């Protein structure tokens, strides 16, 4: 049991859309990610996802609207809701995510950005 410095952990990787696990809480995982540009439209049938913006501005697209999530804010995407995280103007955004261990990166969607393993840092 030691404190985890989020800035230090984010400094350990550079790849966008490649989550890294920093902790496990019961059956949930705490993940850090760097994102840039647009991701993949997807949903998670059985799992909610929490996205907290640590740096930058996240644009969480839903089919009927886009929610702007600023630094220091978070958004929860309920299970079954199709969404597409994105950024604007080539901004790199740093995120903390909280989700179940079995949550698939892009749900049922297979894409070149899909990750099946989250390195532990």
């Amino acid at each position: 049991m030691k404190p985890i410095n989020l800035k230090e952990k984010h400094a350990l990787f550079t790849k966008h859309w490649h989550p890294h696990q920093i902790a496990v809480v019961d059956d949930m995982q705490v993940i850090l990610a760097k994102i840039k540009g647009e991701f993949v439209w997807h949903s998670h049938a059985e799992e909610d996802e929490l996205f907290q913006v640590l740096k930058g501005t996240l644009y969480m697209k839903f089919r009927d609207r886009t929610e702007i999530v600023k630094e220091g804010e978070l958004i929860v995407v309920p299970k079954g809701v199709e969404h597409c995280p994105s950024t604007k103007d080539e901004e790199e955004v740093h995120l903390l995510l909280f989700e179940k261990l079995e949550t698939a990166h892009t749900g049922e969607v297979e894409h070149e950005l899909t990750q099946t393993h989250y390195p532990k840092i």
Side-chain angles (χ1 to χ4, degrees), residues 16-112:
H16 298 118
W17 306 111
H18 195 266
H20 289 70
Q21 185 187 88
I22 60 168
V24 174
V25 181
D26 291 328
D27 66 342
M28 306 290 287
Q29 59 185 337
V30 182
I31 298 166
L32 293 181
K34 292 179 180 178
I35 66 171
K36 188 177 188 181
E38 187 164 318
F39 195 48
V40 180
W41 279 100
H42 68 285
S43 64
H44 306 279
E46 301 298 324
E47 302 92 16
D48 299 334
E49 279 186 298
L50 180 147
F51 295 78
Q52 180 181 2
V53 178
L54 302 174
K55 177 184 171 190
T57 302
L58 169 67
Y59 294 83
M60 186 62 75
K61 295 180 182 181
F62 299 102
R63 289 299 182 182
D64 62 343
R65 71 189 188 287
T66 298
E67 294 291 341
I68 299 170
V69 189
K70 298 176 184 173
E71 193 169 308
E73 296 180 335
L74 62 83
I75 189 168
V76 175
V77 178
K79 64 184 115 209
V81 175
E82 195 173 20
H83 58 287
C84 180
S86 65
T87 70
K88 287 190 177 178
D89 303 321
E90 294 299 307
E91 179 182 31
E92 180 178 81
V93 175
H94 294 192
L95 300 175
L96 180 143
L97 296 94
F98 194 65
E99 62 189 27
K100 289 184 179 178
L101 285 166
E102 65 269 13
T103 302
H105 190 221
T106 53
E108 298 293 320
V109 175
E110 289 293 327
H111 189 273
E112 65 185 37

